[in-house]
Each structure stands twice: as structure tokens, then as C-alpha cells.
Amino acid sequence: MRHCINCCLQLSPDDTHEQRVGCRGGPHHSRHECPVCKGENKIVFRVDGKQMNLLAVLEVRADGNESWGGFFRFKKGKRCSLVFGLIIMTLVMASYILSGAHQELLISSPFHYGAFPSNPSLMDSENPSDTKEQHHQPSVNNISYMKDYPSIKLIINSITARIEFTTRQLPAIEDLKKQELHMFSVIPSKFLPNSKSPCWYEEFTGRNTTDPYLTNSYVLYSKRFRSTFDALRKAFWGHLSHAHGKHFRLRCLPRFYIIGQPKCGTTDLYDRLRLHPEVKFSAIKEPHWWTRKRFGIVRLRDGLRDRYPVEDYLDLFDLAAHQIHQGLQASSAKEQSKMNRIIIGEASASTMWDNNAWMFFYDNSTDGEPPFLTQDFIHAFQPDAKLIVMLRDPVERLYSDYLYFASSNKSADDFHEKVTEALQLFENCMLDYSLRACVYNNTLNNAMPVRLQVGLYAVYLLDWLTVFNKEQFLILRLEDHASNVKYTMHRVFQFLNLGGWGLLESDLCGWVLAAGPGSWASGDGEPAPSLRMPLPRDLSG
């Protein structure tokens, strides 16, 4: 079955800036009229957020009873210095005022192609009538845009003429096991039936004097996580079960994943969702284990390190596992019910799209497409996992991404030139390879001056939908989230089947909204360790 796609190469007519996620609901820093938003205001974007400091400060101290005549009593040298200082200050202030046009701009997207729909990630649950084609003329102030617009349009037409999506052949479970034999030996095929999160007990063979996190790669390679693991280390020994002279620890995987996309508001969603008392996330927000760390990738340009074993990844969920274990071993039914409602989440924004490592670890296929993708392995262990995706206008996402990663010379013209170069590189790839081969081509992605491939939402979503059912996805739009946070959080709570802990769900949404992101950790503190845990009720998982 073949599907024709208009993916993120359908560049949106919306104006692009870093902080505006939608004309509605956002702050208004400028009174310019927005032609796309029909009269609503845009946000003035700061290309360089740093304020210029005055290069010189002239301070003249004079007694209160002195008159202007005192000026003429200065020595000639002092008068010259004073005049020279005034001139310098005047020049500095003049340059500051004149450069204001570059410091505070209402920057429009360099690309306005009205022939493409603005939302390539449209799902069945959304109304197609909300997507309207907009036609705009390029800005007359952007001379470079006016000059190369015809050539860019030819590139776009060339790419879209070759875009065709073919359903990929899913790998067999035996082939997956051959690639990740150790992972399949650690994670069982069945989990505890009385836990909402996928958890199981495994034997802990370390001695009592052994540091359980001594060799964890997240600790070794980043000082930021050491304090987190210090807290886990203190709580670890109190949450072991003992039976027949053996020690057992509870291991857990996430029940749901926020899988993408970068610069689309996933951090805000994470900060708000973690306020819910029943939600526990990994010890660090973005482990990037499925896409990078299990291959030994921290930054691909820095080369490969030792691969992070799956045990290091599971360690990140120990704090949640401690609380779930406490509930499983509780004597009171109320305490058991409370802890068994806990669900674990993970929020690596690279999970949906980043498969760059396949070229280094999997045999290259004849057509240049990856034989295995991240979702193949997640599905092998968790076929019932829930997946949350947050998207935004792909051009605005790309511009926000550019501003975040660009080190200097950030401007609309520079962005325009980099995107033009990226489009040309992508077109050259499409001349010889399939759409999927180009999207997952690490060499091409590294050569692009901007991360154009991240915005190809349609390819990633269709590839995930060949593995998971669409009922397992919640697709959100940053524009909707910005205009109505309460409604977005209500949808998330419903999707995850989260209870209100005695509150109406609408009240809980308002509480999360009012609390704001990062206010408190809602029970992420360490549970009181027991002196001795009873035998786990079910070790068969």
C-alpha cells in the first residue's frame, strides 16, 4: 500500500519566531497586525537576547553650588577629555539605536509556500477543515529571498514529486533478539499483573557492601546525575526483598513515553504532568537510551563510547520502583491500591525520530533503509505502551531549533540560507534514494546546517503506526496547548487513565495549571525504608 505525503517540506505560511506558539493566548509584545492571524498580535522576537552594555560611563561629580561656569575652570586637558567622552557616548548611543532594528525584529518565515497544507501531521481525530491553504507574497525587504525564490520553488517541486511512502517490512522477533541479545535476557516477556507499570522482580547478586550504581554509565559520564544517584543509593538497601537466602529487587519500565518532538513543548508537558501524584518519571528527564545511549552515543560527532547496558537504563526508574514495591508488599489493601496506581513515564524527545545509529550497528540494506527502528524494540517488550507526541508548525519548529543550536550570526537571512542549503542536500538524496532512506540517512543529516529532518513528522508517525495501533497514540499540537493548557492536560489525564485522588478531573487539571511547571515533585521524595521486606508475592514475572 502506498500513500502520497505532503510532509514538513510543506513549509507553513505562518510567521516564525522562537517564543510565539500561537497568536491566541500568548503575550503581546508588539502591536503589529498579523495578516495570518487576522488582526491578532504577534510577539516581537529577540534575535539576540543579550542587551548591549554601555561601553563607557562618564561620571562628573560637582558640588551643588557650582554653576556652569565651573566647566570653564577645568584645565584644557580635562575639557578635551570631557568632550571626547561625550562624543564617544553619543556614538555608542547612536549605534545602539541604529542597531535596534537587528536586536528586536518581527521576523517572518523566509518560506511562504501557499501550495502546501500547513499541518502535515493531521490525524484522524482532527478536523481537516481546520487546515486551510494560505497564500502569501514574500517580504519585499528580504532581497535574497526575492532573488532565489524561483530556484527554491523548483527544489521544493522536485522533492515533492518524488515523495512516496511505502510501508516497511517489520522485522521478526528472532531478528531483534539477535541484534540485542543482552536486552532480551534482562527484560522478561511477562510483567507483574497487579502493577499498572511493567514491573518484575529480579535477583540481586551484589553483596551488601556493593554499590549498586558504581558502574552506571549515567553516573560516570555526567556529574549532574551523581546527587540523584546518591539519594537512590541511600534508599536502595531498604527496598530489597529477601527469600531463601537471596535478595530480589523490583525492576520497572515506563508505562508511557513522550516520544517527541524537540522544540515542541515537551518540557512544559513533562513539568506539568509530573505534578500528578500518580505519575513518576525517570530520574533524569531525557535519558535518550533507546535512540543513543544504548549504542554508546552521547553526541554522534564526538564518536562512540561504551554502550550503556539496559541495567543502567532501568536504574533510572528505581525511585518509582521503590514506591511500587512498597505498595505491593503493604499489608493494607488501601496502601496497595494507592501504590499500584502509580504509572511510570519517560520523556526523551528523540525517541520518535532519531535512528541515526543504525548505519553503524545494523547491516546496511540494499535500498539504504534501516532494517530496525527504535519502535521495533519497544514494541517487542511493551506492545501495550502508550505514546504521547507533541508537534508544532514544522517551520516554526525548525526556526526555534535553529535559534537554540546556532552559535552566532543568527538572523532571518542566515536561517534562510541554511534552510536553502538543507533543501538542496535533501533533493540530491531524493534523486537516488527513497524517502525513508533519506530521512534516516545519518551522513545527510550531519551535513545539513539545520535539522530539517526532525520536522518530517509524517514519515515518523506512519512508521510508528505500522508497529503500534493508533489508539495507543495521543497527538497534541503546541498551538492548542498554548491556547488552552487546561484542556490539553485533561486529554492527557484521560489518555493515561489517571485518577483525581479524590478530586474531580477538571479540578485536578486546574490544580496542575495553577501550580505551574516545576513547583513541586508530588511525592517524588524517598519512601521510608523498611527494615525487612517480606517475600515478593509473585516472582514468576
Side-chain angles (χ1 to χ4, degrees):
M1 182 177 62
R2 297 174 177 266
H3 305 276
C4 292
I5 301 175
N6 292 321
C7 56
C8 90
L9 301 169
Q10 313 157 354
L11 299 174
S12 167
D14 294 340
D15 287 338
T16 306
H17 38 74
E18 168 66 8
Q19 298 180 6
R20 185 180 70 87
V21 296
C23 289
R24 297 179 182 177
H28 303 286
H29 299 291
S30 173
R31 307 306 296 178
H32 296 285
E33 293 295 324
C34 175
V36 178
C37 301
K38 300 180 180 180
E40 296 186 27
N41 293 332
K42 285 184 179 178
I43 292 177
V44 173
F45 180 77
R46 294 181 178 272
V47 177
D48 184 359
K50 297 181 180 179
Q51 297 291 334
M52 289 186 61
N53 296 320
L54 292 179
L55 302 180
V57 177
L58 180 65
E59 181 179 270
V60 179
R61 291 188 176 89
D63 295 335
N65 56 358
E66 289 187 5
S67 64
W68 282 100
F71 174 83
F72 299 101
R73 291 196 296 270
F74 284 169
K75 293 182 180 180
K76 183 177 180 180
K78 292 183 177 180
R79 291 199 303 268
C80 292
S81 298
L82 179 59
V83 173
F84 181 75
L86 291 173
I87 294 174
I88 292 297
M89 180 173 286
T90 302
L91 292 175
V92 169
M93 294 302 296
S95 64
Y96 178 77
I97 294 172
L98 292 175
S99 65
H102 302 286
Q103 295 293 325
E104 200 168 36
L105 297 173
L106 185 66
I107 299 179
S108 298
S109 167
F111 303 97
H112 296 294
Y113 298 105
F116 306 108
S118 62
N119 187 3
S121 60
L122 191 64
M123 301 299 291
D124 294 339
S125 61
E126 296 178 352
N127 186 1
S129 63
D130 294 337
T131 304
K132 298 179 181 179
E133 294 185 355
Q134 303 283 348
H135 296 270
H136 291 272
Q137 296 297 325
S139 171
V140 296
N141 296 324
N142 194 336
I143 303 301
S144 62
Y145 180 91
M146 294 292 292
K147 290 180 179 179
D148 60 7
Y149 174 77
S151 61
I152 295 176
K153 192 171 183 180
L154 288 176
I155 295 174
I156 296 293
N157 292 336
S158 173
I159 293 173
T160 54
R162 292 174 172 80
I163 289 179
E164 189 174 25
F165 183 85
T166 57
T167 303
R168 59 185 289 262
Q169 183 69 34
L170 297 182
I173 188 69
E174 294 302 322
D175 293 331
L176 295 175
K177 288 182 178 180
K178 291 178 182 178
Q179 297 296 329
E180 298 289 352
L181 183 61
H182 178 69
M183 192 193 309
F184 280 87
S185 68
V186 173
I187 302 176
S189 58
K190 295 182 180 180
F191 305 114
L192 296 177
N194 50 348
S195 174
K196 289 183 68 175
S197 295
C199 299
W200 68 97
Y201 281 100
E202 71 172 22
E203 183 181 355
F204 178 70
T205 57
R207 295 173 299 176
N208 287 343
T209 57
T210 301
D211 180 356
Y213 305 109
L214 182 64
T215 60
N216 187 288
S217 301
Y218 286 98
V219 183
L220 296 176
Y221 290 117
S222 179
K223 295 180 179 179
R224 292 184 300 137
F225 307 140
R226 292 181 184 176
S227 60
T228 299
F229 281 96
D230 285 341
L232 290 172
R233 191 177 293 110
K234 294 176 182 178
F236 180 81
W237 302 108
H239 292 85
L240 288 178
S241 290
H242 312 282
H244 310 297
K246 297 180 179 180
H247 306 288
F248 297 90
R249 67 188 294 189
L250 188 68
R251 287 293 207 176
C252 296
L253 280 170
R255 175 71 175 93
F256 71 94
Y257 296 84
I258 301 176
I259 62 175
Q261 287 287 69
K263 314 309 292 181
C264 291
T266 57
T267 299
D268 184 77
L269 177 63
Y270 162 84
D271 284 335
R272 296 181 187 278
L273 188 55
R274 69 192 293 266
L275 297 178
H276 196 290
E278 296 175 3
V279 176
K280 309 298 174 187
F281 279 96
S282 53
I284 57 178
K285 176 184 177 287
E286 297 190 272
H288 295 297
W289 186 80
W290 290 101
T291 55
R292 300 170 187 173
K293 302 300 175 62
R294 70 185 176 102
F295 299 106
I297 297 172
V298 177
R299 288 180 299 183
L300 196 56
R301 64 176 180 269
D302 296 336
L304 301 177
R305 295 179 176 176
D306 293 336
R307 301 179 71 168
Y308 288 31
V310 64
E311 291 89 345
D312 291 2
Y313 179 62
L314 296 176
D315 286 346
L316 301 179
F317 307 102
D318 271 4
L319 187 58
H322 292 167
Q323 298 183 53
I324 295 173
H325 170 77
Q326 185 179 13
L328 293 173
Q329 304 306 309
S331 57
S332 94
K334 181 178 180 181
E335 186 67 17
Q336 288 184 23
S337 175
K338 176 181 176 182
M339 290 303 177
N340 292 349
R341 288 200 297 263
I342 292 175
I343 63 171
I344 301 175
E346 200 248 73
S348 297
S350 65
T351 305
M352 186 170 88
W353 65 274
D354 191 347
N355 283 277
N356 287 326
W358 78 268
M359 300 181 71
F360 301 97
F361 291 91
Y362 304 140
D363 294 334
N364 291 345
S365 56
T366 55
D367 54 3
E369 297 185 6
F372 309 105
L373 295 177
T374 298
Q375 53 266 39
D376 299 330
F377 293 96
I378 295 179
H379 183 268
F381 299 110
Q382 301 173 258
D384 298 325
K386 293 198 172 186
L387 308 163
I388 300 177
V389 181
M390 179 84 88
L391 305 176
R392 75 189 290 188
D393 179 280
V395 181
E396 291 193 5
R397 194 223 67 81
L398 184 61
Y399 192 65
S400 175
D401 197 81
Y402 157 79
L403 292 171
Y404 182 80
F405 287 103
S407 58
S408 60
N409 301 324
K410 291 179 282 191
S411 66
D413 285 340
D414 181 66
F415 173 70
H416 172 71
E417 293 173 2
K418 284 180 167 57
V419 173
T420 301
E421 181 182 348
L423 288 171
Q424 291 172 338
L425 291 171
F426 196 83
E427 180 197 20
N428 292 337
C429 181
M430 289 288 291
L431 294 176
D432 300 317
Y433 297 96
S434 67
L435 173 63
R436 185 180 290 107
C438 293
V439 169
Y440 296 119
N441 189 309
N442 176 63
T443 303
L444 172 63
N445 294 339
N446 286 339
M448 288 184 180
V450 291
R451 299 199 302 176
L452 183 72
Q453 78 279 6
V454 178
L456 299 172
Y457 307 145
V459 178
Y460 304 124
L461 285 174
L462 288 173
D463 276 345
W464 277 81
L465 286 168
T466 61
V467 180
F468 290 91
N469 296 326
K470 67 179 181 179
E471 290 78 15
Q472 296 175 251
F473 287 86
L474 176 63
I475 311 296
L476 303 172
R477 297 175 68 248
L478 178 58
E479 292 82 358
D480 298 333
H481 179 64
S483 62
N484 194 338
V485 175
K486 185 175 180 179
Y487 176 69
T488 298
M489 299 310 300
H490 182 76
R491 290 185 63 192
V492 174
F493 293 160
Q494 284 187 323
F495 177 70
L496 298 177
N497 297 319
L498 293 173
W501 274 42
L503 301 173
L504 293 175
E505 286 192 7
S506 58
D507 295 334
L508 183 58
C509 290
W511 165 62
V512 171
L513 176 62
S519 298
W520 64 294
S522 72
D524 281 347
E526 302 169 22
S530 303
L531 295 179
R532 182 177 178 85
M533 292 296 172
L535 176 69
R537 291 185 172 84
D538 186 357
L539 296 178
S540 61

